[in-house]
Amino acid sequence: MGRGPRGAARILRPTLCALVLIVAAGGRVGSAFNLDTRFLVVKEAGNQGSLFGYSVALHRQTERQQRYLLLAGAPQDLAVPDGYTNRTGAVYLCPLTAHKDDCERMDIAEKSDPNHHIIEDMWLGVTVASQGPAGRVLVCAHRYTQVLWSGSEDQRRMVGKCYVRGNDLELDPRDDWQTYHNEMCNSNTDYLETGMCQLGTSGGFTQNTVYFGAPGAYNWKGNSYMIQRKDWDLSEYSYKDPENQGNLYIGYTMQVGSAILHPTDITIVTGAPRHQHVGAVFLLSQEAGRDLRRRQVLEGTQVGAYFGSAIALADLNNDGWQDLLVGAPYYFERKEEVGGAIYVFMNQAGTSFPAHPSLLLHGPSRSAFGFSVASIGDINQDGFQGMSQHSYPSTR
Ligand SMILES: *[C@@H]1O[C@H](CO)[C@@H](O)[C@H](O)[C@H]1NC(C)=O
């Protein structure tokens, strides 16, 4: 059966083998590498403590130049010097070469203007995504802050900001995807509405949508937003959660794709790691012209485990339907010396997912196994999807 669009959710292409990322632990240098030991790609951060590699995506550039690039977010990187701003975060464009230090900084050209918006510590590069071959690039800064003035008092609204750029990584003013404001959160409202929504904590593309997670919306209940373009029409969608409760963090992670609860229509999968204290993953669908509707909620099993803080979709059993992997990095069993878990939910032929995982993988004590999970494509070309996970590096 048809698999639907091979979307941006899969960050890696089989022909390039698998790239796996490593996160830098406080102050240390991060790097990214692939599993093919004959042609190892390792990229190193220029600045200590930049969290280089916090997010990565593979991008295929076809405009102006033919090349594969690894997009690497470094959300704590130093600012482009302007005499005032210290630290903004950055995104690096890394060619797939044997050199360690040939990454270039992507030009986002956001100027500091502290009376109107604050870019200091905005975490540029917290999210990076590619729309796939010939597609665009998305980079987000979830701590970007708008400043409102009431008299002489300034009020700060951490609405977050995402930037869409062309396939060649430049801004093309003729492309509405890039010039559209993408401001789904209203900075004229306060934290009880969407004034602190932290848009861009997660995000990505399909062929005709761009989507953003905003876990700070509605007193940190959180929300998921999607902009869909069909021909010349642009529609914005979001999810109206019925619960009147803050601190669920819906939108902390977000993936959109088909072959999940419908062969061709998209399903929105979004993690809410503080839902009912155990965390949850929401499966939402979008029906013609209407907002996102809840189809199923998968709940975590342990308080504080942060179930849903990492999610990945992959067709694990090759039945044409996307299966779901959910990380719970703070899962813990003291007597068993277990720390961190990945829950595997096998898709029941597009009808639903089982309430309980088909498989539960554990890491060693204190490893934060499941901190990040990613589908890495068919790494050994056997027709099955490969998966990678990474744990939080030990700080000892
Ligand atoms: C940058 O750092 C200096 C020295 O710590 C500080 O005085 C200044 O306020 C910082 N700039 C911003 C925009 O926060």
Side-chain angles (χ1 to χ4, degrees):
M1 77 150 290
R3 290 264 203 96
R6 293 186 171 249
R10 259 175 231 146
I11 57 170
L12 303 158
R13 291 281 169 263
T15 49
L16 286 164
C17 298
L19 294 130
V20 179
L21 83 126
I22 297 285
V23 171
R28 250 164 269 175
V29 176
S31 60
F33 65 95
N34 74 359
L35 296 177
D36 184 343
T37 50
R38 285 159 304 174
F39 177 57
L40 190 67
V41 178
V42 178
K43 302 293 175 183
E44 283 183 359
N47 297 319
Q48 293 266 317
S50 69
L51 299 184
F52 176 83
Y54 185 89
S55 61
V56 289
L58 191 70
H59 179 63
R60 183 172 171 192
Q61 184 179 347
T62 51
E63 273 172 34
R64 281 198 306 137
Q65 224 191 108
Q66 295 278 344
R67 57 177 177 167
Y68 284 94
L69 289 170
L70 187 64
L71 311 176
Q76 286 279 67
D77 205 357
L78 300 179
V80 175
D82 65 0
Y84 176 75
T85 314
N86 301 314
R87 202 177 278 280
T88 52
V91 174
Y92 287 89
L93 311 174
C94 303
L96 296 184
T97 60
H99 303 289
K100 286 186 181 171
D101 52 4
D102 57 355
C103 300
E104 288 165 54
R105 188 174 184 137
M106 186 174 169
D107 182 15
I108 292 294
E110 183 73 76
K111 299 272 175 287
S112 174
D113 181 4
N115 283 334
H116 298 103
H117 60 248
I118 297 167
I119 63 171
E120 178 76 22
D121 206 22
M122 71 173 177
W123 277 63
L124 179 67
V126 66
T127 298
V128 295
S130 167
Q131 202 177 12
R136 300 167 183 82
V137 160
L138 175 75
V139 309
C140 298
H142 74 301
R143 290 175 54 88
Y144 175 92
T145 299
Q146 293 275 13
V147 180
L148 298 185
W149 290 94
S150 63
S152 60
E153 190 191 79
D154 66 323
Q155 295 187 352
R156 298 180 176 194
R157 300 285 189 252
M158 195 179 279
V159 282
K161 186 164 183 176
C162 290
Y163 306 81
V164 179
R165 293 292 182 264
N167 175 266
D168 62 357
L169 296 312
E170 305 278 328
L171 176 65
D172 177 357
R174 293 162 309 173
D175 178 18
D176 172 57
W177 288 68
Q178 296 175 54
T179 54
Y180 192 70
H181 56 74
N182 295 327
E183 287 168 17
M184 309 297 286
C185 303
N186 184 350
S187 56
N188 290 312
T189 62
D190 69 4
Y191 71 99
L192 292 171
E193 296 284 324
T194 55
M196 295 291 271
C197 84
Q198 299 179 317
L199 177 99
T201 302
S202 62
F205 290 109
T206 67
Q207 288 300 312
N208 66 348
T209 71
V210 57
Y211 56 86
F212 315 100
Y218 307 105
N219 193 20
W220 288 272
K221 178 161 75 176
N223 208 343
S224 297
Y225 295 97
M226 189 171 77
I227 301 173
Q228 190 168 57
R229 285 179 178 76
K230 274 191 181 147
D231 305 318
W232 296 105
D233 283 345
L234 177 145
S235 319
E236 296 183 356
Y237 299 100
S238 65
Y239 170 62
K240 305 269 183 300
D241 187 87
E243 268 183 86
N244 184 21
Q245 195 190 345
N247 295 310
L248 310 182
Y249 294 10
I250 299 168
Y252 191 93
T253 48
M254 191 171 170
Q255 301 261 309
V256 172
S258 55
I260 302 171
L261 292 179
H262 189 279
T264 51
D265 291 355
I266 55 170
T267 301
I268 296 92
V269 183
T270 184
R274 293 190 57 182
H275 182 264
Q276 314 276 350
H277 308 289
V278 292
V281 171
F282 288 58
L283 294 126
L284 314 173
S285 64
Q286 181 251 318
E287 283 127 41
R290 279 192 253 133
D291 262 330
L292 308 180
R293 188 173 70 87
R294 177 148 126 179
R295 293 280 301 275
Q296 191 177 359
V297 178
L298 297 168
E299 287 191 351
T301 53
Q302 190 182 75
V303 168
Y306 240 52
F307 175 92
S309 64
I311 54 174
L313 292 161
D315 180 6
L316 297 174
N317 57 354
N318 229 15
D319 66 352
W321 293 100
Q322 300 283 342
D323 306 303
L324 176 61
L325 290 93
V326 180
Y330 309 123
Y331 183 94
F332 145 94
E333 282 173 31
R334 191 172 62 88
K335 293 211 175 102
E336 310 290 327
E337 292 296 314
V338 157
I342 294 174
Y343 293 65
V344 182
F345 297 91
M346 300 304 288
N347 196 326
Q348 298 169 328
T351 57
S352 63
F353 287 83
H356 300 288
S358 319
L359 184 64
L360 185 58
L361 305 169
H362 288 138
S365 178
R366 293 164 167 264
S367 68
F369 179 79
F371 185 77
S372 161
V373 283
S375 173
I376 57 174
D378 176 9
I379 64 166
N380 55 359
Q381 303 277 289
D382 63 356
F384 287 83
Q385 297 292 313
M387 298 303 303
S388 86
Q389 82 83 31
H390 73 266
S391 307
Y392 203 70
S394 169
T395 48
R396 279 170 297 168

